[in-house]
Amino acid sequence: MGMRKVDLRSDTVTKPTEAMRAAMAGAEVDDDVLCSDPTAARFEAKMAKVMGKEAALFVPSGTMSNLIGVLVHCEVRGSEVILGDNCHIHIYENGGISTIGGVHPRTVPNNADGTMDLALIEAAIRHTDEDLYYPTTRLICLENTHANCGGRCISVEYTDKVGEIAKKHGLKLHIDGARIFNASVALGVPVHRLAQVADSVSVCLSKGLGAPVGSVIVGSKSFITKAKRLRKTLGGGMRQVGILCAAAEVALRDNVGRLEDDHRKAKIFADKLNEVKGLHVDLTSVETNMIFFDVTKGSNASPEKLCQILEEHGILVLQTSSTSIRLVLHHQISESDVHYAFNCIKQAVLGIGYNGDMNGN
């Protein structure tokens, strides 16, 4: 029998379900670059309807989806986008909006809940009729849920207020909604309502929803027409992509309803971790499927050592700083997995069980 494996690095690590594999094998396909793939067209239409937008476009990744969103709205090189200083687009997407798009990022501090102060957003806006030294602001970006802030949900009330600021100043609003379905479930708000005031939204299919590949970007028909051209420019136009869309269609059908259980297990896990001497979890930050915990001075293992010990027992986690570790729950993590992982973490932190039984038996 092989070692038990519990992969908590991200919700991107899920494997395709049997239903997904069957749908992929039986998908009706054609050349999507020639706009002929019927499965892709059906899935894009379904996603547009779910998100409350006119049209949608399947793309290979969330990074490409966000890049396309920014570049469509900032067609003039040297345009400026206002975004959080701790957001995914700014930190983890290789600076693509600048290196490829010539777009200048103007950051506003993210609060602990993932929001930015509304007054600071408005103060950061710069117009063409101002000093000629400044770039022109054309876009505001939000992230929902906000990953680096612990998977926190951005409320519809806050999003609407940012939308009002954007409209007042003639700007566009893009939402990086990589885990927006998690936010919808946690807040009890329909996903289309969370996206209502946005001009474009990127939705990752391979995170909480558990599809093997891809993201979708949604917006108006004219926006998607431009997005499709940019997708081709960036090398994201694919041929028989209905194979991937078929799996994503199953994910949308089967896994949205499982997100609430992911959130429940994350809260149970976080509560348990917070009771262990040497660990600290800000329980108010655990709103969806993510847990960030700090390893304090009372622990017998540093975060680096803890990750090493856990990997030796089949548990994969992600160190995010010199003091903290991230865990992400998904539909392929069972309650038994949570129990096993917790006991391994607890015994490692307390300095027991390194060479023996890590199951708590």
Side-chain angles (χ1 to χ4, degrees):
M1 182 182 294
M3 180 188 294
R4 182 173 186 172
K5 183 178 179 180
V6 181
D7 196 338
L8 298 164
R9 291 172 298 170
S10 179
D11 44 8
T12 60
V13 302
T14 56
K15 306 300 188 289
T17 63
E18 289 303 314
M20 291 179 193
R21 293 177 187 273
M24 294 169 77
E28 184 183 358
V29 297
D30 206 323
D31 191 327
D32 187 54
V33 175
L34 300 180
C35 303
S36 300
D37 191 299
T39 304
R42 182 181 69 241
F43 177 65
E44 288 168 345
K46 183 174 295 185
M47 282 299 299
K49 183 177 181 179
V50 168
M51 297 301 297
K53 301 299 180 186
E54 291 180 351
L57 185 69
F58 182 90
V59 297
S61 71
T63 294
M64 183 180 287
S65 185
N66 283 328
L67 179 59
I68 288 171
V70 173
L71 298 193
V72 170
H73 296 310
C74 298
E75 292 180 289
V76 179
R77 289 184 67 84
S79 296
E80 185 170 74
V81 54
I82 295 172
L83 71 178
D85 66 342
N86 204 20
C87 75
H88 198 279
I89 293 175
H90 186 59
I91 303 293
Y92 296 120
E93 298 185 7
N94 224 11
I97 63 171
S98 299
T99 57
I100 296 173
V103 177
H104 181 260
R106 183 159 167 83
T107 60
V108 171
N110 279 117
N111 299 317
D113 64 357
T115 63
M116 299 173 279
D117 287 348
L118 297 172
L120 293 181
I121 293 175
E122 194 153 24
I125 297 170
R126 302 193 279 200
H127 291 292
T128 52
D129 57 358
E130 294 177 359
D131 199 306
L132 59 84
Y133 296 108
Y134 301 140
T136 300
T137 308
R138 288 190 167 85
L139 178 66
I140 302 171
C141 289
L142 298 177
E143 181 178 339
N144 197 9
T145 64
H146 199 290
N148 271 0
C149 291
R152 300 290 289 268
C153 303
I154 308 301
S155 72
V156 69
E157 294 81 10
Y158 175 83
T159 304
D160 285 352
K161 288 175 182 177
V162 176
E164 289 170 9
I165 291 172
K167 187 175 181 179
K168 174 183 173 182
H169 292 274
L171 310 180
K172 300 297 185 181
L173 174 61
H174 173 75
I175 296 177
D176 174 2
R179 296 181 176 90
I180 198 167
F181 279 91
N182 291 84
S184 171
V185 169
L187 294 170
V189 176
V191 69
H192 67 81
R193 182 63 187 88
L194 290 175
Q196 184 172 302
V197 298
D199 297 283
S200 58
V201 184
S202 169
V203 182
C204 189
L205 304 165
S206 61
K207 290 190 169 74
L209 296 182
V213 181
S215 286
V216 168
I217 188 165
V218 299
S220 67
K221 289 180 181 178
S222 61
F223 170 87
I224 293 299
T225 296
K226 294 177 181 178
K228 188 172 291 188
R229 180 173 291 275
L230 271 170
R231 183 186 68 176
K232 179 64 175 172
T233 302
L234 296 170
M238 296 181 286
R239 302 299 178 178
Q240 286 70 35
V241 76
I243 292 173
L244 299 179
C245 291
E249 206 165 16
V250 173
L252 184 68
R253 181 194 72 201
D254 292 352
N255 291 345
V256 173
R258 295 172 176 170
L259 295 177
E260 186 175 5
D261 198 47
D262 295 342
H263 301 170
R264 181 186 63 83
K265 286 180 285 193
K267 289 179 173 63
I268 291 171
F269 204 162
D271 286 338
K272 286 176 172 287
L273 290 170
N274 209 40
E275 294 173 357
V276 178
K277 183 180 179 181
L279 301 181
H280 176 259
V281 182
D282 176 6
L283 296 178
T284 63
S285 72
V286 185
E287 295 181 355
T288 53
N289 64 329
M290 288 186 169
I291 306 165
F292 285 75
F293 68 87
D294 292 323
V295 181
T296 65
K297 291 181 180 179
S299 171
N300 283 287
S302 66
E304 185 177 5
K305 180 64 175 176
L306 181 55
C307 290
Q308 179 185 334
I309 294 168
L310 293 175
E311 186 169 358
E312 290 170 357
H313 291 83
I315 300 168
L316 302 178
V317 299
L318 192 67
Q319 183 177 347
T320 54
S321 75
S322 61
T323 60
S324 66
I325 290 173
R326 187 186 84 167
L327 313 175
V328 184
L329 280 287
H330 49 79
H331 74 95
Q332 291 175 344
I333 297 295
S334 67
E335 291 207 34
S336 174
D337 291 331
V338 169
H339 181 71
Y340 173 69
F342 167 70
N343 278 319
C344 289
I345 293 170
K346 178 181 177 180
Q347 293 181 52
V349 168
L350 296 180
I352 58 176
Y354 285 7
N355 299 309
D357 181 14
M358 296 288 280
N359 291 287
N361 298 324

